[in-house]
Each structure stands twice: as structure tokens, then as C-alpha cells.
Amino acid sequence: MNGRRYIWVALVAFAAALAAVLVARIWLAPEPRVESEVHALLHQRLTLDTAQEQRIHELEAAFASRRAALEAEMRADNQRLAAAIEAEHGYGPKVAESVDRSHHVMGQLQKETLQHIFAMRGVLRPDQAAQFDAAIVKALTQPAR
């Protein structure tokens, strides 16, 4: 009877830890506002010429592919984290390593997102770039909604 009780406690602890990770991923890490603001500015408020639109489209297509790859890597990290939690039933070395790896990929996505934003900025005229900069500063400094 005691063996079953420990297994039951371990399963409940694992489920709680997994639920906490999923909640954090979904609710505490919403879609980046900066990307939404930049996208709206580029496609709705700035008057881009045909060459600018084409170049922006190329940059967005290339970044969409890279972003999808990094997001797939983050999903794989979640699976590794779940396996580590299942194996260790606590915050052990495998869990810590999985969390660190996940943070590395998230950081890489943030860096590549910024590189993408600056690449798009490079396509703009000076007057457009000023509006672009203002939109990014606003998006980054607005209080959380």
C-alpha cells in the first residue's frame, strides 16, 4: 500500500509541475507586443513604395521560417523538461539543464527578432524610420495590459 501511495504522490507532483510550466508558457509569456506594433505600422500606417514592400515581404518570409524553427525547438525543450521532471520528481540537475536550454532558445528568438526588426528598419526612408522608432519605443515602454 505504501508503494502505491508514493507513486500517487509522485504523479500528482509531476502533474502540478507540468501544469505550472504550461501556465507560465501560455499566460505569462504572451505574444510580443513589439512585433504586433511593428507589423501594424509597416502594413497599415506607413506608405511603403513597391520596392520597400517587396523587401519587407522577403524579410518577413525569411524570419517566419526561422521563428518557426526556434518555436519548434522550444516545444522540444518543453518535452525534454517534462521528461526531466518525470525522471527527477523535483528540481534536479536534468530539470535545471532543461530550463537553462529553454531560456537559451528563448533568448535566441529575442535576439533574432531584434535583428529582424532592425533589418526592416533599414528598408525605410528617414521619415518612416522615425515613425518606426517611435512605435518600437512605445511598444517597449507601455505598461503591461
Side-chain angles (χ1 to χ4, degrees):
M1 183 78 163
N2 274 344
R4 287 185 183 171
R5 180 182 222 173
Y6 288 120
I7 290 172
W8 179 248
V9 169
L11 288 174
V12 169
F14 170 73
L18 187 58
V21 169
L22 293 175
V23 166
R25 289 273 184 165
I26 293 168
W27 286 334
L28 300 179
E31 278 294 310
R33 275 195 331 251
V34 174
E35 289 179 57
S36 300
E37 292 283 332
V38 169
H39 186 80
L41 175 71
L42 286 172
H43 296 288
Q44 297 169 7
R45 296 192 301 259
L46 292 181
T47 305
L48 302 176
D49 63 34
T50 305
Q52 287 175 312
E53 284 188 28
Q54 178 61 34
R55 184 65 187 131
I56 297 276
H57 176 72
E58 291 167 0
L59 290 169
E60 287 178 329
F63 181 66
S65 173
R66 182 63 183 140
R67 181 179 178 157
L70 289 168
E71 287 174 345
E73 206 170 327
M74 287 190 297
R75 285 189 299 277
D77 287 341
N78 279 346
Q79 292 174 343
R80 282 188 284 275
L81 177 58
I85 290 169
E86 185 175 38
E88 294 180 329
H89 304 292
Y91 196 83
K94 290 179 184 177
V95 170
E97 180 183 330
S98 294
V99 169
D100 289 344
R101 187 179 188 315
S102 176
H103 287 175
H104 173 75
V105 175
M106 282 187 249
Q108 189 63 35
L109 177 58
Q110 185 176 30
K111 289 175 186 177
E112 291 189 31
T113 299
L114 288 170
Q115 290 169 346
H116 168 64
I117 286 171
F118 288 123
M120 290 190 300
R121 185 188 188 281
V123 174
L124 303 176
R125 295 186 315 265
D127 62 309
Q128 294 169 324
Q131 292 178 57
F132 186 85
D133 293 347
I136 289 178
V137 168
K138 180 182 175 188
L140 288 172
T141 58
Q142 281 181 347
R145 297 179 214 176

